[in-house]
Amino acid sequence: MKGIEGGITAAAGYRTGAVHSGIRGNQAKKDLAIIVSDVPCQAAAVYTSNIVKAAPLHITKQHLADGQAQAIVINSGNANACAPRGEENAEREAIAAARLLGLKPEAVLVASTGVIGQELPIEVIESAAGQIVLGTDSADTARAIMTTDTKIKQVAVEFELDGKTVHLGGIAKGSGMIHPNMGTMLCFVTTDAAISHEALQAALSKTVKTTFNRISVDGDTSTNDMCIVLANGLAGNREITGTDPVFDQALETVMRELAVMIASDGEGASRLIVSTVVNARDEQQAETLAMSVASSSLFKAAIFGSDANWGRVLCAMGYSGAEFDPEKVDVTFHSEAGSITVARDGRGLPFDEDLAKQILSRDQVQVIMNLHEGSASVTCWGCDLTYEYVKINGDYRS
């Protein structure tokens, strides 16, 4: 397997395009995008665990009832969540895209992101959808789905199945309201692999647990989070109908890279936090502890200040709900500037504060918690908590 260019158009038979529709006041910002396959696809999706779900999720679930789709329409700038005429407007958005593509509305899935509680200006979407020019450059679409993101997020890989060259790529948006469980963002993945709906759904549901559900920016889970995978079969491999390790690895690689990009681009973030638990009793224990540390506001603030306040690590582990022996835990900080162990057997060690500050001042900082209880290990990802996060979210609607 190797990384390639192209994002969602790396796979055969996919086109995409974006336009400024008028949802956003900034005319330089494209805010409406379409992804389409030349042929019908097997499709799978996972959705936010938030009980309050935006209208596009309800429409997408309805359109995915048969496990098939051919296109996705996405808008940014308005979440169409808790909004007047939400389902009606989401359906009209699908119809507008279907009209451009010559498809039935049921073949189009819908996603929205942006401000919650405001009515979607569907008329501007209906007017602008016909202006979208479809092509194979997915960068415009990756930008069009952004809200407070500072950079586009796209990844693609190439691999072999049954002697056939297969491609899988994805784009994502996410910067704030990032926390498990599924999905913490919008993500769209395309592949030319031949795979049944059931196998595709199983692979996606499994992979999201070890990728998007292991990142946290601020502890909030959005009303609009979803991840959709389309598979059009144009690679010509023998159809996957069960678990396939090669396909699963490709899907996990793309989704993990996108997940880390989201954590790294957290609102106002200056550092990526890599929270790793090693030598745990089992994977569940390791994940619970690693996620608790990655999500801790106090620890995130300490990382922002390059403060080796390791007590906040033990504290976050202690309230995680996972059982462990705190008197066996070692804590180490690591970055490209070096490594420093600050606690052993749950007790503090003398350490070089200047070296610790250098280590914690790098763009990517890893905290390693060694439990000495088993052989399982898990990594979760987060980011530091900065003044800029409050600034961004203090005037988000304006």
Side-chain angles (χ1 to χ4, degrees), residues 167-215:
H167 307 88
L168 188 151
I171 62 172
K173 66 81 50 183
S175 189
M177 296 188 79
I178 304 296
H179 197 66
N181 282 304
M182 188 55 221
T184 68
M185 71 315 136
L186 294 181
C187 177
F188 310 103
V189 176
T190 60
T191 181
D192 46 23
I195 182 170
S196 70
H197 161 70
E198 292 77 12
L200 186 63
Q201 185 65 60
L204 174 60
S205 297
K206 179 182 72 172
T207 303
V208 76
K209 294 177 182 178
T210 59
T211 55
F212 293 127
N213 281 0
R214 287 183 176 172
I215 62 174

Side-chain angles (χ1 to χ4, degrees), residues 104-366:
K104 293 181 178 179
E106 294 77 16
V108 181
L109 310 181
V110 186
S112 300
T113 182
V115 178
I116 294 171
Q118 296 183 357
E119 184 170 4
L120 185 70
I122 190 61
E123 292 81 8
V124 302
I125 291 175
E126 291 171 327
S127 175
Q131 301 170 24
I132 293 178
V133 177
L134 298 170
T136 56
D137 184 354
S138 65
D140 264 2
T141 296
R143 288 188 194 92
I145 67 175
M146 291 165 53
T147 49
T148 56
D149 306 59
T150 65
K151 60 192 76 172
I152 67 171
K153 302 168 180 68
Q154 61 177 356
V155 180
V157 296
E158 180 181 286
F159 55 103
E160 282 197 7
L161 288 172
D162 304 324
K164 304 290 185 181
T165 300
V166 181
H167 307 88
L168 188 151
I171 62 172
K173 66 81 50 183
S175 189
M177 296 188 79
I178 304 296
H179 197 66
N181 282 304
M182 188 55 221
T184 68
M185 71 315 136
L186 294 181
C187 177
F188 310 103
V189 176
T190 60
T191 181
D192 46 23
I195 182 170
S196 70
H197 161 70
E198 292 77 12
L200 186 63
Q201 185 65 60
L204 174 60
S205 297
K206 179 182 72 172
T207 303
V208 76
K209 294 177 182 178
T210 59
T211 55
F212 293 127
N213 281 0
R214 287 183 176 172
I215 62 174
S216 182
V217 168
D218 53 14
D220 275 294
T221 300
S222 173
T223 56
N224 290 61
D225 307 335
M226 76 170 91
C227 179
I228 297 170
V229 184
L230 301 179
N232 64 17
L234 292 181
N237 61 289
R238 184 173 60 253
E239 183 183 46
I240 299 168
T241 57
T243 300
D244 186 287
V246 176
F247 180 84
D248 288 355
Q249 182 184 3
L251 183 62
E252 177 153 9
T253 296
V254 167
M255 290 174 59
R256 183 175 59 249
E257 288 194 30
L258 290 171
V260 174
M261 288 180 186
I262 289 172
S264 181
D265 193 30
E267 287 177 341
S270 64
R271 293 180 185 86
L272 174 69
I273 295 173
V274 182
S275 175
T276 301
V277 169
V278 299
N279 296 321
R281 194 166 53 247
D282 53 44
E283 185 174 341
Q284 183 58 58
Q285 179 198 36
E287 181 184 80
T288 301
L289 292 167
M291 199 68 213
S292 186
V293 173
S295 306
S296 165
S297 295
L298 282 174
F299 179 63
K300 288 151 66 72
I303 294 299
F304 170 59
S306 302
D307 178 12
N309 192 341
W310 64 268
R312 293 180 178 179
V313 175
L314 265 293
C315 179
M317 294 173 69
Y319 62 63
S320 69
E323 293 292 331
F324 71 100
D325 185 349
E327 296 192 0
K328 289 183 178 179
V329 177
D330 301 340
V331 179
T332 300
F333 291 118
H334 173 81
S335 75
E336 60 182 14
S339 295
I340 191 165
T341 298
V342 293
R344 182 168 288 122
D345 297 330
R347 299 290 188 270
L349 295 173
F351 62 88
D352 186 332
E353 290 281 0
D354 291 336
L355 175 59
K357 197 168 191 68
Q358 290 177 35
I359 291 169
L360 297 181
S361 296
R362 299 305 170 101
D363 291 343
Q364 180 172 312
V365 175
Q366 185 176 28

Side-chain angles (χ1 to χ4, degrees), residues 148 267-269 385-398:
T148 56
E267 287 177 341
L385 182 60
T386 71
Y387 307 130
E388 190 65 18
Y389 177 85
V390 177
K391 181 179 179 182
I392 289 168
N393 284 283
D395 59 4
Y396 181 71
R397 290 197 306 158
S398 55

